[in-house]
């Protein structure tokens, strides 16, 4: 059973920065894609950024130029550096990972979420 543990959320003033981390563990052979999603109250979950094992990134237009996704394959960990935060970035941020277990079975796992609150 793959587990994802997110950390780094919190309360920050507009214009500030936060760095989220997502650590995966549990019988992992390879993680192909790691992504960050967010869900604000009353809204649907949306993709913020994703990164492949080879480092190819995609980033939502709403955060492009402010948020950067990265990963450490050796640590099975992804990061989301968030700069110039705005109140509209307030949401619960979730990590998602897709890959293969050591015995060959594919997996898709979600973290429990971490709250990011940006005050104006």
């Amino acid at each position: 059973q793959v587990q994802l543990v997110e950390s780094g959320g919190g309360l920050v003033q507009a214009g500030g920065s936060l760095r989220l981390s997502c650590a995966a563990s549990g019988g992992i052979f390879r993680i192909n894609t790691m992504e960050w999603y967010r869900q604000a109250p009353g809204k649907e979950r949306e993709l913020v950024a994703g990164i492949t094992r080879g480092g190819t990134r995609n980033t939502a237009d709403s955060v492009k130029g402010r948020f950067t996704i990265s990963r450490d394959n050796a640590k099975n960990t992804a990061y989301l550096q968030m700069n110039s935060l705005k109140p509209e970035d307030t949401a619960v941020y979730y990590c998602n990972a897709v890959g293969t277990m050591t015995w060959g079975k594919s997996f898709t796992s979600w973290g429990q979420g971490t709250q990011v609150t940006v005050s104006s």
Side-chain angles (χ1 to χ4, degrees):
Q1 185 80 5
V2 176
Q3 293 185 331
L4 302 183
V5 178
E6 299 121 333
S7 60
L11 173 64
V12 64
Q13 290 188 332
S17 298
L18 285 173
R19 189 192 193 211
L20 306 183
S21 298
C22 170
S25 62
I28 298 169
F29 172 69
R30 181 189 301 270
I31 299 178
N32 298 320
T33 303
M34 299 190 80
E35 297 174 320
W36 286 98
Y37 288 76
R38 68 185 181 185
Q39 188 166 19
K43 295 187 177 181
E44 293 187 355
R45 190 172 297 190
E46 63 175 354
L47 177 64
V48 176
I51 186 168
T52 67
R53 184 174 182 82
T56 301
R57 296 174 173 84
N58 66 292
T59 307
D61 289 342
S62 58
V63 304
K64 199 164 291 185
R66 300 187 297 121
F67 291 11
T68 301
I69 189 171
S70 61
R71 65 187 284 177
D72 184 333
N73 291 332
K75 295 181 179 179
N76 286 332
T77 299
Y79 307 94
L80 186 67
Q81 178 66 45
M82 306 186 294
N83 299 328
S84 302
L85 282 160
K86 304 176 181 180
E88 51 264 43
D89 294 319
T90 296
V92 177
Y93 284 70
Y94 297 91
C95 178
N96 173 272
V98 177
T100 307
M101 308 292 286
T102 54
W103 53 89
K105 183 179 180 181
S106 61
F107 71 88
T108 300
S109 292
W110 290 89
Q112 80 287 352
T114 185
Q115 176 71 46
V116 172
T117 303
V118 184
S119 63
S120 57

